[in-house]
Amino acid sequence: MTDETALQRVKFYQTGTHTVGNRLMDKARRSVQASMDRSNAITSGHRACQGCGEALGARYALDAALRASDGQLVAVNATGCLEVFTTPYPETSWQIPWLHSLFGNAPAVATGVAAGMRRKGRADVRVVAQGGDGGTTDIGFGCLSGMFERNDDVLYICYDNEAYMNTGVQRSSATPPTARTATTPAVGDAPGNIFGTGKNLPLIAMAHNIPYVATANVADLHDLEDKVTTAMDIRGARYIHIMVPCPLGWGSAADATIHVARMAVESGLFPLFEAEHGRVTRSKKIRRRVPVEDYLRPQRRFAHLFKKGQEDTERIARLQRMADANIERFNLLGERETP
Amino acid sequence: MLKQTEGSQAVAEAIALCRPEVVCAYPITPQTHIVEGVGALVKAGKIENCEFINVESEFAALSVAIGASAAGARAYTATASQGLLFMGEAVYNAAGLGLPIVMTIGNRAIGAPINIWNDHTDSMSMKDSGWIQLFAETNQEAVDLHIQAFRLAEELSCPVMVCMDGFILTHAYERIDVPSQEEVDAFLPPYDPIQVLDPVEPYSIGAMVGPEAFTEVRYLAHEKQLQALRRIPEIGAVFKDVFGRQSGGLIHSYRTEGAETIAVALGSVNGTIKEVIDGMRDDGAAVGSVSICSFRPFPLDELRAALVGAKHVVVIEKSLAPGLGGIVASNIRMALRETAVPVYTVIAGLGGRPITMNSLREVLEAAGNMRLPDVQFLDLDHGAVEREILRAKQTRRAGPTAENILRNLGHAAVAGND
Amino acid sequence: MFQVRIHGRGGQGVVTAAELLSIAAFLEGKHAQAFPSFGSERMGAPVVSFCRLDEKEIRLREPVTAPNAVIIQDPTLLQSVDVFQGLNSDGFILINSTRTFDELGIADFVAGFPAHHVCDVGASELAMKHVGRPVPNAALLAGFAAISGQLHMDSVEDAIRQKFPGAVGEANVAAAREAYEIAAAA
Ligand SMILES: Cc1ncc(C[n+]2csc(CCOP(=O)(O)OP(=O)(O)O)c2C)c(N)n1
Ligand code: SF4
Ligand SMILES: [Mg+2]
């Protein structure tokens, strides 16, 4: 990860795509997915919707972890879209050993797998636990905090699509203000989810003083892979929070997943950063800052903010202030020397 | 008003008519549409003085309801399957505290293997928690039972679960009479708690009870259920006066006069059973059926009276006590303990397996011909089971059973949204 | 009892189609029971919904295995799903397509059905024309009314208006009317 920010500074990117082309990178830094002899943790044949950010994020994250662990990897999965769409029994998309127990206990199950492996003399087998935002920030939060606090040897990855998608898009504590969900309908005088609620799990994870916390996003898959690789080099409790757009729940076009994810970063609404032992060590600079509108408009869950002739300028401005606060807090424009 | 609508939506409207003050929601299929419906009504300002709280788990959902109820508010929540288990500790607690919470269960199987489809395992897991459990046969009855449930719960200060078959009822779109606010107001008085957190008159609710009184407290929980046994038919009668239709009560008998074989079941399968009974009666068979609406309290006397004249009682149940057989059937045997009427268990509809008229007719005929075993699994694929048993014998590391069985059957199960 | 099975893909409104049908029947004083295939798949996956129609209360809760009519929202399903399963030989078939049965590869199969029991209507195209989006339900429902005689066009229109109030409803009604003409003439 360390030289990633350096790469950005020399503007080593192709115009139009904003991604570093694999051809231009030295071999060691090429994406796992670009390697001819890649072995995918999740193979094709899963049943996610077209354009599912979670399917993409999980494939990249687990492939990076698989490579970092030399194939010695077990995944534990909370109930949720990822679990359901990868295991249309008797077909399974998983090439690695995989265990689904319940919705709210994945971190603790993973702790158990890690302990079992150690006792069986297989400490070389690494454990990744994963869940959606609901499984992570809500129902599994107690188990997750326990796993962090004990510094158990587990990498926990949260795929944050900002609602309970698997059950049909209900609000979670990761749902942003104003977003319409099935339990925060766009009616009444504060349509959608209200302001002043929700929790920031990366910051809460940091408060546990665990060795590594990072945020990532499917618009920058290199950065995502780097962060997983960094995390896999560390023992103890680690947490990566990946934003994964959901075309179904967000009401965005299936081919706009990467665009929407990028707008989240470029607007400052979703800051990309890393933290070690409770301190932010690096943050990824915004390349070309955009107003939050650019992020909100392509998503139908925010459509009520942009009604013709009655734009909800006040609440759009509040969202902009949230983005501005992130930019300031995480130094996303590189205005300060230190992160 | 008579309308064509979804079961869940009708129940949401019925809940709204009951003027709840605190509603807790946590998503789980197939209950979700109900709380979403209530939430939309709250957010649109259609329910006066009601808070809708999106909580972080089912454990929190019922816990919030416990707090609200103890503060004197009318509280409601709904769940299913894994969610009911996740709230398990609070389920017993709400009953122990005697808080009149009403909760809908959109009945669904319990994993592993994870399964989102209908059976009764979830409600059965809490049958002895001290809650009253009412099972709806139709969506109309689901609507009506919710309205009755608040009155029953609050009169007795005891929580009530209204159980309705997931998908089969919750997702069915049919003709339902959703009553008017005036009718419901005439039937359901405002909540007047027997215990309430109030600085003017402070109580300690939930204090520890030692061996000297615990048995007495538990006895009173039992006694409360016995009171419910009397109140349920009475409330059903008042309901009929106000709304002009029969709904609820302890049991419903169907064509049991002179019946030699009687089928007994809970919930929506009774509709299909009635069709089978009609068909068999047309062909001259002496058959009838009994639908149990109140499973807790369990109407021993009424069931005994309804079944004692039969030669065979066939319990069709959507749940299984592994190692024993039927749960409902065991309860029915208790009702018939002083008689010689044989009670058969037919385990049916697990995890959404369709219960068809043909299969039902076969078991009822088999019972009449004395060919029904004590415990039978309806439409069980014996070949698949035997192959798997054999395979497991041959290799130690046989792998996950669920996956093996499906591979064995050679078809991919459909993914659902759990 | 008259039983209908509707085939489509997740996201195409298969469940809404069955609900609409049941509302139209309800408005005629009939009993109707609509239900989905219980599982709601991800977008794009094949899905099914059902509707039973009767003059008396419908108590039956078993799945529909022998439909009197099938409605196919997406003709690409003809290649992947046995959409005609259990359909009796005097049943009805309605397909959302502008292609001929020959082009769809089912000419031989449908030849075994009574004339006027089988029909294809370009419901998505009609929806594009009137509503601006390829939402075929209203037009298909009208097509079903025309070929099966189970519903009056008036109640179809009222059901559409009830389910989609306002301008969207009217646009759908327009699509339905055109579909009705096409199907009735077929
Ligand atoms: C105890 C319990 N409650 C509820 C559910 C139902 N449930 C399964 S997945 C899910 C939503 C998952 O949301 P999230 O964790 O955000 O993952 P996503 O599907 O959005 O990827 C819910 C509510 C369950 N399986 N178990
Ligand atoms: S609902 Fe969203 S998260 Fe789930 S599979 Fe579809 S796109 Fe992915
Ligand atoms: Mg989610």
Side-chain angles (χ1 to χ4, degrees):
Chain A
M1 172 64 219
T2 27
D3 42 357
E4 165 69 8
T5 11
L7 278 172
Q8 299 306 340
R9 240 176 272 125
V10 294
K11 298 235 188 268
F12 193 35
Y13 58 86
Q14 297 172 310
T15 43
T17 70
H18 300 289
T19 45
V20 180
N22 277 317
R23 286 176 297 110
L24 304 180
M25 305 195 80
D26 70 63
K27 271 216 172 96
R29 294 205 34 78
R30 283 187 191 174
S31 149
V32 179
Q33 303 296 329
S35 145
M36 291 295 282
D37 47 24
R38 69 168 189 249
S39 100
N40 284 60
I42 313 172
T43 54
S44 58
H46 63 68
R47 307 226 179 134
C49 309
Q50 297 111 307
C52 174
E54 187 161 295
L56 180 66
R59 180 155 63 87
Y60 271 75
L62 286 184
D63 284 355
L66 192 62
R67 185 169 67 163
S69 64
D70 251 338
Q72 301 302 298
L73 187 70
V74 173
V76 174
N77 218 131
T79 314
C81 266
L82 178 63
E83 169 259 327
V84 170
F85 72 62
T86 54
T87 54
Y89 258 160
E91 298 158 34
T92 167
S93 311
W94 295 97
Q95 298 292 308
I96 54 174
W98 177 90
L99 171 62
H100 163 238
S101 170
L102 293 169
F103 189 23
N105 67 358
V109 172
T111 292
V113 173
M117 288 294 172
R118 277 196 301 279
R119 285 314 114 209
K120 304 306 284 182
R122 299 295 318 270
D124 57 319
V125 177
R126 309 298 303 278
V127 184
V128 172
Q130 49 187 352
D133 49 292
T136 305
T137 70
D138 289 338
I139 198 169
F141 184 66
C143 287
L144 184 65
S145 178
M147 188 277 277
F148 286 163
E149 166 275 317
R150 295 184 301 268
N151 198 24
D152 292 332
D153 189 17
V154 172
L155 166 60
Y156 190 97
I157 302 177
C158 169
Y159 302 106
D160 181 7
N161 50 25
E162 303 190 330
Y164 292 95
M165 296 311 175
N166 186 47
T167 37
V169 199
Q170 295 85 15
R171 175 200 184 270
S172 79
S173 59
T175 302
T178 75
R180 179 200 67 193
T181 68
T183 43
T184 55
V187 295
D189 20 291
N193 195 27
I194 54 170
F195 280 91
T197 60
K199 59 176 100 156
N200 186 324
L201 210 69
L203 295 183
I204 296 171
M206 283 166 59
H208 289 76
N209 274 326
I210 57 176
Y212 186 73
V213 172
T215 61
N217 173 298
V218 289
D220 193 340
L221 292 164
H222 264 292
D223 180 60
L224 189 163
E225 287 185 331
D226 280 338
K227 284 169 174 165
V228 172
T229 308
T230 304
M232 292 297 289
D233 276 345
I234 302 169
R235 290 277 180 169
R238 291 140 289 147
Y239 180 73
I240 300 183
H241 190 101
I242 306 179
M243 178 192 237
V244 290
C246 163
L248 179 91
W250 294 14
S252 49
D255 59 4
T257 296
I258 303 296
H259 171 74
V260 169
R262 179 169 299 118
M263 291 303 104
V265 173
E266 304 282 86
S267 64
L269 278 175
F270 190 79
L272 294 179
F273 65 92
E274 292 173 284
E276 290 166 25
H277 299 288
R279 269 192 48 247
V280 175
T281 49
R282 274 172 296 272
S283 62
K284 192 136 188 239
K285 306 303 169 253
I286 291 175
R287 286 203 198 100
R288 197 179 51 181
R289 188 176 178 186
V290 300
V292 290
E293 266 196 66
D294 288 16
Y295 169 68
L296 303 170
R297 267 192 196 274
Q299 305 180 49
R300 273 202 310 283
R301 63 176 172 156
F302 296 114
H304 54 276
L305 298 177
F306 300 102
K307 276 209 200 110
K308 259 200 215 97
Q310 34 178 322
E311 260 192 32
D312 194 342
T313 44
E314 190 206 312
R315 297 191 330 135
I316 297 171
R318 272 186 92 170
L319 290 165
Q320 184 62 55
R321 287 203 291 282
M322 283 170 58
D324 296 345
N326 280 338
I327 289 173
E328 156 63 24
R329 179 177 196 167
F330 295 99
N331 193 26
L332 299 179
L333 294 176
E335 287 153 334
R336 293 190 300 272
E337 272 298 304
T338 50
Chain B
M1 192 180 69
L2 206 55
K3 52 173 127 176
Q4 184 76 11
T5 187
E6 194 199 39
S8 293
Q9 180 58 33
V11 167
E13 289 171 30
I15 296 303
L17 292 169
C18 293
R19 303 186 184 278
E21 291 158 307
V22 176
V23 175
C24 312
Y26 193 76
I28 185 162
T29 307
Q31 150 275 163
T32 323
H33 289 183
I34 301 173
V35 280
E36 286 174 4
V38 179
L41 291 168
V42 173
K43 189 127 196 204
K46 300 231 172 86
I47 312 181
E48 279 165 43
N49 191 31
C50 178
E51 273 195 44
F52 182 78
I53 305 179
N54 284 306
V55 290
E56 78 279 11
S57 73
E58 291 85 1
F59 182 70
L62 188 53
S63 302
V64 170
I66 286 171
S69 186
R74 184 170 282 166
Y76 170 79
T77 188
T79 192
S81 181
Q82 311 299 130
L84 183 60
L85 292 195
F86 200 88
M87 61 168 62
E89 197 179 356
V91 173
Y92 273 72
N93 185 254
L97 294 175
L99 294 169
I101 298 160
V102 171
M103 172 158 72
T104 310
I105 309 296
N107 287 116
R108 159 181 156 181
I110 280 177
I114 189 161
N115 174 299
I116 61 166
W117 292 272
N118 167 247
D119 70 30
H120 290 164
T121 311
D122 48 6
S123 289
M124 288 298 151
S125 76
M126 293 295 157
K127 68 183 191 306
D128 300 322
S129 61
W131 285 58
I132 290 168
Q133 286 189 329
L134 308 175
F135 281 78
E137 187 176 324
T138 62
N139 272 321
Q140 185 65 60
E141 193 168 47
V143 163
D144 298 346
L145 284 180
H146 279 93
I147 298 166
Q148 297 185 23
F150 281 106
R151 176 150 174 188
L152 180 66
E154 290 168 9
E155 275 187 13
L156 297 173
S157 211
C158 179
V160 179
M161 262 178 224
V162 180
C163 309
M164 59 192 290
D165 284 313
F167 290 115
I168 298 173
L169 292 182
T170 55
H171 287 54
Y173 214 87
E174 48 195 356
R175 173 196 294 240
I176 304 171
D177 189 356
V178 180
S180 68
Q181 188 66 62
E182 293 69 42
E183 285 172 311
V184 176
D185 286 347
F187 174 79
L188 179 64
Y191 173 32
D192 179 15
I194 63 160
Q195 52 178 350
V196 65
L197 299 168
D198 183 356
V200 176
E201 202 185 332
Y203 290 117
S204 307
I205 302 179
M208 182 183 251
V209 171
E212 72 284 8
F214 196 76
T215 304
E216 286 67 26
V217 173
R218 296 305 292 156
Y219 173 81
L220 289 169
H222 179 58
E223 150 67 22
K224 198 179 268 186
Q225 292 266 336
L226 301 183
Q227 280 180 44
L229 222 37
R230 289 190 296 278
R231 282 307 284 148
I232 289 169
E234 288 166 10
I235 287 177
V238 180
F239 185 90
K240 189 168 181 205
D241 285 346
V242 176
F243 299 86
R245 71 178 162 264
Q246 184 74 52
S247 253
L250 297 168
I251 61 172
H252 312 297
S253 297
Y254 185 71
R255 303 188 78 170
T256 47
E257 336 69 55
E260 294 183 355
T261 301
I262 298 181
V264 182
L266 308 178
S268 67
V269 72
N270 280 294
T272 312
I273 291 176
K274 284 177 180 169
E275 294 292 336
V276 174
I277 299 296
D278 283 0
M280 292 177 71
R281 281 272 182 186
D282 286 351
D283 296 341
V287 292
S289 68
V290 169
S291 157
I292 300 178
C293 178
S294 168
F295 185 64
R296 285 293 181 270
F298 194 70
L300 290 169
D301 294 346
E302 289 72 12
L303 282 164
R304 187 190 143 90
L307 301 174
V308 73
K311 293 207 175 112
H312 315 278
V313 170
V314 182
V315 182
I316 315 285
E317 58 178 303
K318 295 183 174 182
S319 53
L320 168 68
L324 171 66
I327 300 169
V328 184
S330 306
N331 284 254
I332 298 282
R333 286 202 175 102
M334 173 83 172
L336 293 174
R337 65 198 176 283
E338 284 152 5
T339 73
V341 183
V343 177
Y344 306 93
T345 307
V346 177
I347 307 290
L350 296 188
R353 170 84 46 104
I355 303 180
T356 63
M357 287 178 66
N358 285 345
S359 301
L360 284 174
R361 188 173 175 133
E362 270 170 33
V363 289
L364 293 185
E365 284 173 354
N369 300 332
M370 318 282 281
R371 281 191 289 104
L372 200 60
D374 216 14
V375 180
Q376 158 120 340
F377 286 71
L378 195 73
D379 297 333
L380 181 73
D381 185 337
H382 290 277
V385 169
E386 273 150 28
R387 284 194 295 279
E388 177 59 12
I389 292 172
L390 188 69
R391 223 179 59 79
K393 267 195 196 132
Q394 286 161 349
T395 24
R396 175 71 207 150
R397 192 159 288 193
T401 321
E403 188 171 339
N404 293 337
I405 284 281
L406 279 163
R407 195 167 277 139
N408 193 308
L409 293 178
H411 64 75
V414 277
N417 48 352
D418 36 330
Chain C
M1 182 152 44
F2 192 92
Q3 310 193 96
V4 185
R5 189 171 65 213
I6 305 173
H7 291 269
R9 291 187 183 276
Q12 286 181 331
V14 183
V15 178
T16 311
E19 290 172 0
L20 259 180
L21 211 165
S22 81
I23 294 174
F26 168 79
L27 293 174
E28 291 183 12
K30 290 189 179 164
H31 287 264
Q33 178 196 66
F35 53 102
S37 58
F38 304 162
S40 69
E41 302 283 325
R42 297 287 178 281
M43 287 190 284
V47 285
V48 194
S49 65
F50 309 92
C51 188
R52 292 194 163 100
L53 310 173
D54 208 344
E55 301 302 328
K56 56 183 199 317
E57 187 192 349
I58 301 169
R59 299 182 301 192
L60 191 60
R61 300 284 175 185
E62 67 176 17
V64 172
T65 46
N68 303 92
V70 294
I71 301 176
I72 298 155
Q73 283 188 341
D74 184 339
T76 64
L77 289 168
L78 290 169
Q79 276 86 53
S80 52
V81 178
D82 183 9
V83 292
F84 304 119
Q85 188 186 313
L87 183 68
N88 48 23
S89 54
D90 61 349
F92 297 87
I93 300 174
L94 179 67
I95 303 178
N96 173 17
S97 167
T98 48
R99 296 195 286 164
T100 64
F101 298 131
D102 228 0
E103 288 167 330
L104 291 170
I106 53 168
D108 288 347
F109 176 78
V110 302
F113 287 80
H116 306 304
H117 277 212
V118 186
C119 175
D120 57 355
V121 174
S124 294
E125 284 78 5
L126 290 175
M128 277 311 283
K129 175 172 154 195
H130 293 281
V131 189
R133 286 190 297 131
V135 282
N137 280 340
L140 283 176
L141 183 56
F144 170 78
I147 63 168
S148 70
Q150 290 288 321
L151 299 169
H152 299 294
M153 191 54 197
D154 291 349
S155 33
V156 168
E157 290 182 15
D158 289 347
I160 294 170
R161 289 196 185 93
Q162 188 175 323
K163 192 92 184 168
F164 311 103
V168 185
E170 292 310 323
N172 272 292
V173 167
R177 284 192 182 144
E178 194 171 341
Y180 189 88
E181 298 305 320
I182 296 172

